[in-house]
Amino acid sequence: MFWAIPFSMYRGPGLHHLCDCLCTYVLESFLCLIGESKFKKPINFSRFAIRFNSSSSSSSQGVIASTMAYEKELAAAKKAATLAARLCQKVQKALLQSDVHSKSDKSPVTVADYGSQAIVSFVLEGELPSEPFSLVAEEDSGDLRGESGQETLKRITELVNDTLTSEALDGFSTLTAEDITRAIDNGKSEGGSSGRHWVLDPIDGTKGFLRGDQYAIALALLHEGKVVLGVLACPNLPLASIGSNQQHSGNEVGCLFFATVGEGAYMQTLDGSSKTRVHVSATENPEEASFFESFEAAHSSHDLSKSITEKLGVKVPPVRIDSQAKYGALSRGDGTIYLRFPHKGYREKIWDHAAGCIVVTEAGGVATDAAGNPLDFSKGRFLDVASGIIVTNQKLMPQLLRAVKESLNEKASSL
């Protein structure tokens, strides 16, 4: 109960507000007992923690408040991402040609993309019914509503219902095709710098998914434009560390990474084993560093990455894998550097980095654009970044930034 919380933890300008909240809570609880309160359920005390946090300048107070504020959200996010991962595993295991088609932009998409988004949307709404729901996500149902999309929509509806039924969710009733399209279209939010917005990539790394390689269900929460929570479900990522030759011991795969602002980053198996705190590599000598980059050359300039790592003196070849699984692997120290340099004209989407960014930063890493600016997720559906995105530990970042600047200048002068 709330009165078990030591008052010594609450000092500073938020104390009077907290006391008011406690008194109100006690009074309303008492009135509920005698049947005279207009409130039908106890006050959600975690909401007061948010207000208290905003009036306090103490970092320790901020951690306490954030823990109280986002505990329910983290539990809901982990549940949603885990269920979505199970649907994706079913599809990848028995991938049918009919399960794959092209969106209007010609990128491959599967029933798993849509099904994953529908499940996450449905679970978040169900687990957090009192919260205004805003979802910024990659997919929409436009291609499913026409006659050509009906078979795909039917398949998605079956998969979502099978996945949710197998979990024996309380109060769950079979979803219709219209329920599915509505859940998918919840993802049309524009996000922004005010309020709370969930950010989702239902399958980050669709091409990796289609090859049977790495992909991730990436879910994050924005609060007032800041990423405060992130979950990465990586069904094919080995539990053991992956090295520069991508070899690993053991055959067990399936990782769930998660982080809440101020609380560190953690990993557990997808089936819910005990969590383990993770930390980025402490490597200070770039010659001993290894680095990750996108598997697809079309997603990031491999030539530019090669130039940068040569300047740093990195000796091992890159580890090329799809999706934000790279952020997860980096957060537990499998590698030291992540480089992403999309080709000219490409605009980074917030769902491609939000969850991975908080996981790796809470693990002690640093994520910036190529000019060293922090990543800003408050501008809507896109990131405004200079040239690319780089991630490493705090000690290596100055050297990495210098190498990036030199390589970018050389590339510009050669054009």
Side-chain angles (χ1 to χ4, degrees), residues 239-368:
L239 296 179
S241 175
I242 56 175
S244 59
N245 59 2
Q246 301 193 52
Q247 298 297 314
H248 55 87
S249 59
N251 297 317
E252 193 172 4
V253 298
C255 302
L256 186 73
F257 298 91
F258 55 95
T260 306
V261 62
E263 292 295 298
Y266 297 85
M267 184 188 81
Q268 62 186 160
T269 61
L270 275 175
D271 61 11
S273 65
S274 298
K275 66 183 182 181
T276 301
R277 188 159 186 170
V278 294
H279 302 275
V280 297
S281 168
T283 300
E284 298 182 42
N285 183 352
E287 293 186 4
E288 299 172 358
S290 59
F291 74 100
F292 294 108
E293 63 180 352
S294 299
F295 183 92
E296 300 279 347
H299 293 169
S300 182
S301 172
H302 290 172
D303 289 342
L304 184 55
S305 294
K306 182 179 179 181
S307 171
I308 293 166
T309 54
E310 285 178 348
K311 292 182 185 305
L312 284 171
V314 174
K315 297 186 180 300
V316 296
V319 177
R320 291 175 177 165
I321 59 176
D322 300 281
S323 83
Q324 289 177 70
K326 292 186 286 292
Y327 278 107
L330 199 73
S331 75
R332 67 184 185 187
D334 290 7
T336 313
I337 298 168
Y338 168 34
L339 302 173
R340 179 177 170 89
F341 294 95
H343 296 284
K344 187 176 181 180
Y346 180 82
R347 297 183 69 190
E348 295 280 8
K349 289 90 170 177
I350 62 173
W351 53 73
D352 285 328
H353 299 281
C357 183
I358 190 169
V359 166
V360 82
T361 55
E362 284 295 320
V366 185
T368 73

Side-chain angles (χ1 to χ4, degrees), residues 197-216:
H197 307 282
W198 290 97
V199 179
L200 170 69
D201 194 332
I203 293 185
D204 185 27
T206 303
K207 290 185 178 179
F209 177 83
L210 295 174
R211 288 196 309 272
D213 292 336
Q214 296 301 328
Y215 67 98

Side-chain angles (χ1 to χ4, degrees), residues 27-41:
L27 177 60
E28 288 300 325
S29 298
F30 174 73
L31 291 175
C32 281
L33 290 175
I34 61 175
E36 295 182 12
S37 174
K38 64 181 179 181
F39 292 100
K40 301 301 182 184
K41 58 183 179 180

